[in-house]
Amino acid sequence: MASADESALLDRVPHGLLIGGEWVQAAESATLVVRDPSTNEVLKTIANASPEDGIRALDAAVAAADDWAATPPRQRGEILRKTWQLVQDRRDEIALLMTMEMGKPLSEALGEVAYGGEFLRWFSEEAVRITGRYGINPEGTGRTIVSQHPVGPCFFITPWNFPLAMATRKIAPALAAGCTVVIKPAELTPLTTLYIAKLFTEAGLPAGVLNVITTSTSGAVSAPIIADSRLRKLSFTGSTPVGVKLMQQAAENVLRTSMELGGNAPFLVFEDADLDAAVDGAMLAKFRNIGQACTAGNRFLVHESVAAEFSDRITERVQGLKIGRGTEPDVKIGPLINEDAVEKVDSLVKDAVSRGATVRTGGKRVDGAGSFYAPTVVTDVPRDSAILRTEIFGPVITIVPFADEDEAVRLANDTEFGLVSYAFTKDLARGQRLIERLQTGMMGLNVGVLSNAAAPFGGIKQSGVGREGGFEGIHEYLSTKYTMTPNPFA
Ligand code: NAP
């Protein structure tokens, strides 16, 4: 049962769609329910948008687009900064809400508030740094002007695993650049997006600049928005198969797209690694967010001379992880998002075991209410196991030994994904070689967590297109215009 504080918080979360500055019901008053994955209990009933509601939200974003693009950058930045302050003031509420709807431990939810909130502050500062250039063409016959302009109305689709950060990582740069937005959070975790949308309105964001639609029919509601010729940009975070489908839809109108897709991160531990740091890094890279992060270490490739010690030390640490509802003290492993997720993780572990892998600890679901899976260490994983080719998205470490650097790099790159890699080594030259050899958009060198609002987050290969955060982030929402003018002295 939700506590009295939790119930009061849920009452403060809007239950409507945010369209044109108004909280409205869905067509025919349709609703959907949001549940707590640790108990399966209903948290709240909210509006369930239809395709027509989606188009109404796009209408509002289109209507607000010109005024918002013409709003002085400082004013846009100040609204973002004010929203960041509101997020700080309400950090405990936002963290609790995320824990309730998604299941992550409260301490991690607070970490996400800091990280996700930071995009608002970072892009409040970037709003006033949109620049262009003025030059003389090589022939000397003309003057060239390069200017940056807001892309226009954007549609965002976000996943359930980081309910705050995945929304702010898109909304903040878009608003800073002068774009208006329709956002569709995942059906499983829409409450955080509704809550922060309310903070934007409290911070003075004009009507129609940010519109929120929640729905249980994501495909049916999204397709007409993507097909609408008034839309200018689609930004998606989620799985690669859905990303591929959306890119195909976006191709019809040659839409600008940003795609933050799945991963299969290799985590390399070399014979010269600081093993204490590697074990700490592995625990963070794997068990943060209950293993449900696109950046989660998926394949732990360990030099054969230290593989046994690494496995022993990891197993001991994993056996000490407390499982439970994320609101309980010291819990490190909350529930997986739903039963399907438990089924998927369990079948991957069973497949590896059937091929000869050894379960050192865990390897089973946890009985009782909620979708819990025991934190697990699997060693001697045969290289043809599905678990090495699939994004596990659960609390399972797979350990595979390697013989030398060439083999480690070959194994690491042997995937269609290319989001992030991790490497632990004390050898500086090796570290530099790995930066050049590992085929990923991001790399943690002797660290197990790397996300930062000031850095360009994103992947290569089938992990995506585009970058979120850093100096690069705002350019996803700007289009470049080149103008030629005559030589004024001619
Ligand atoms: P998902 O199933 O692809 O869903 C992501 C979002 O897409 C949700 O809002 C979902 O809505 C929506 N969606 C699903 N099918 C759709 C369709 N046909 N048309 C329009 N929207 C559709 O992924 P997920 O399970 O939520 O998230 C996990 C995945 O996200 C993992 O692969 C993870 O690696 C990836 N991820 C990547 C990053 C990154 O930055 N690279 C960050 C976080 C997560 P409903 O759920 O309501 O159907």
Side-chain angles (χ1 to χ4, degrees):
M1 280 284 286
S3 69
D5 281 356
E6 291 171 6
S7 299
L9 167 58
L10 289 168
D11 286 343
R12 287 195 288 280
V13 178
H15 55 79
L17 311 172
L18 179 61
I19 298 182
E22 304 286 329
W23 292 98
V24 298
Q25 295 203 334
E28 294 171 23
S29 305
T31 56
L32 65 85
V33 292
V34 183
R35 290 176 188 274
D36 179 337
S38 67
T39 59
N40 222 13
E41 284 173 12
V42 172
L43 291 173
K44 194 170 173 84
T45 300
I46 61 169
N48 190 353
S50 67
E52 293 73 30
D53 293 320
I55 291 298
R56 276 201 294 148
L58 180 62
D59 292 343
V62 170
D66 286 351
D67 282 354
W68 184 243
T71 299
R74 175 68 75 201
Q75 214 171 308
R76 300 199 299 254
E78 277 174 3
I79 291 171
L80 285 170
R81 174 77 186 204
K82 209 161 169 191
T83 312
W84 172 78
Q85 187 59 55
L86 290 171
V87 168
Q88 304 315 301
D89 297 346
R90 318 269 173 89
R91 66 161 70 87
D92 292 333
E93 286 208 340
I94 300 171
L96 179 58
L97 191 58
M98 273 197 281
T99 293
M100 285 160 70
E101 68 172 340
M102 184 273 163
K104 70 183 71 193
L106 203 48
S107 57
E108 292 189 19
L110 279 164
E112 183 175 344
V113 176
Y115 167 60
E118 193 57 25
F119 288 98
L120 301 166
R121 183 160 64 166
W122 173 265
F123 285 108
S124 76
E125 293 156 353
E126 289 297 280
V128 292
R129 312 208 195 295
I130 300 166
T131 58
R133 57 182 201 269
Y134 181 85
I136 304 177
N137 67 346
E139 300 76 18
T141 55
R143 299 294 179 266
T144 57
I145 302 168
V146 179
S147 50
Q148 302 290 337
H149 305 269
V151 165
C154 301
F155 181 39
F156 297 159
I157 301 176
T158 52
W160 48 263
N161 60 345
F162 291 98
L164 176 72
M166 298 304 97
T168 54
R169 217 162 73 169
K170 297 184 192 303
I171 296 171
L175 299 194
C179 298
T180 56
V181 168
V182 176
I183 183 167
K184 188 210 78 63
E187 177 189 359
L188 297 170
T189 60
L191 303 182
T192 306
T193 302
L194 292 169
Y195 187 100
I196 59 151
K198 193 168 127 205
L199 297 189
F200 273 107
T201 60
E202 280 178 37
L205 191 70
V209 175
L210 174 66
N211 304 278
V212 183
I213 47 171
T214 50
T215 182
S216 64
T217 52
S218 51
V221 169
S222 300
I225 299 176
I226 297 168
D228 193 305
S229 62
R230 298 171 300 166
L231 186 71
R232 290 286 174 272
K233 163 109 196 182
L234 169 67
S235 179
F236 169 74
T237 299
S239 61
T240 296
V242 174
V244 169
K245 204 184 286 180
L246 294 173
M247 285 178 92
Q248 286 165 348
Q249 293 175 21
E252 286 294 322
N253 285 339
V254 196
L255 271 186
R256 284 270 300 264
T257 55
S258 299
M259 293 280 147
E260 296 285 350
L261 307 179
N264 180 358
F267 187 107
L268 279 55
V269 182
F270 287 90
E271 62 277 22
D272 56 18
D274 173 340
L275 223 49
D276 290 337
V279 168
D280 286 346
M283 295 300 290
L284 279 173
K286 181 75 250 184
F287 294 103
R288 196 172 64 103
N289 225 37
I290 321 145
Q292 302 168 116
C294 53
T295 51
N298 212 55
R299 297 167 293 148
F300 289 73
L301 309 174
V302 186
H303 190 267
E304 58 196 16
S305 66
V306 291
E309 186 183 350
F310 181 82
S311 304
D312 290 348
R313 290 172 65 170
I314 285 283
T315 302
E316 195 185 327
R317 290 278 291 271
V318 169
Q319 284 166 339
L321 295 175
K322 186 174 166 193
I323 305 171
R325 189 174 191 243
T327 47
E328 292 164 18
D330 302 324
V331 160
K332 294 283 184 285
I333 300 292
L336 294 185
I337 190 66
N338 58 19
E339 274 307 307
D340 289 350
V342 175
E343 271 306 309
K344 175 186 159 192
V345 171
D346 197 42
S347 70
L348 287 171
V349 171
K350 284 192 171 125
D351 172 75
V353 170
S354 74
R355 291 169 196 272
T358 307
V359 172
R360 294 285 304 271
T361 186
K364 56 181 186 315
R365 55 178 311 133
V366 178
D367 292 336
S371 39
F372 290 89
Y373 194 82
T376 298
V377 180
V378 190
T379 57
D380 311 312
V381 182
R383 293 183 185 177
D384 59 350
S385 303
I387 204 164
L388 298 180
R389 308 217 70 86
T390 313
E391 187 176 31
I392 303 170
F393 243 53
V396 180
I397 279 198
T398 58
I399 298 176
V400 178
F402 67 81
D404 58 28
E405 186 179 313
D406 282 345
E407 186 186 27
V409 169
R410 192 164 40 74
L411 290 172
N413 288 339
D414 182 21
T415 167
E416 69 273 26
F417 295 106
L419 188 61
V420 60
S421 51
Y422 301 90
F424 279 73
T425 175
K426 283 191 198 149
D427 180 339
L428 177 61
R430 190 200 307 269
Q432 289 176 297
R433 286 195 297 277
L434 293 171
I435 293 172
E436 297 188 23
R437 296 182 79 188
L438 292 176
Q439 297 166 354
T440 55
M442 300 178 285
M443 181 171 167
L445 186 52
N446 295 318
V447 297
V449 174
L450 46 62
S451 299
N452 192 293
F457 189 106
I460 60 171
K461 296 161 81 177
Q462 291 190 28
S463 289
V465 182
R467 293 294 180 268
E468 292 189 328
F471 299 118
E472 291 80 358
I474 200 164
H475 290 282
E476 300 284 317
Y477 299 97
L478 292 169
S479 59
T480 301
K481 182 172 209 166
Y482 150 64
T483 307
M484 173 61 98
T485 63
N487 176 355
F489 299 104

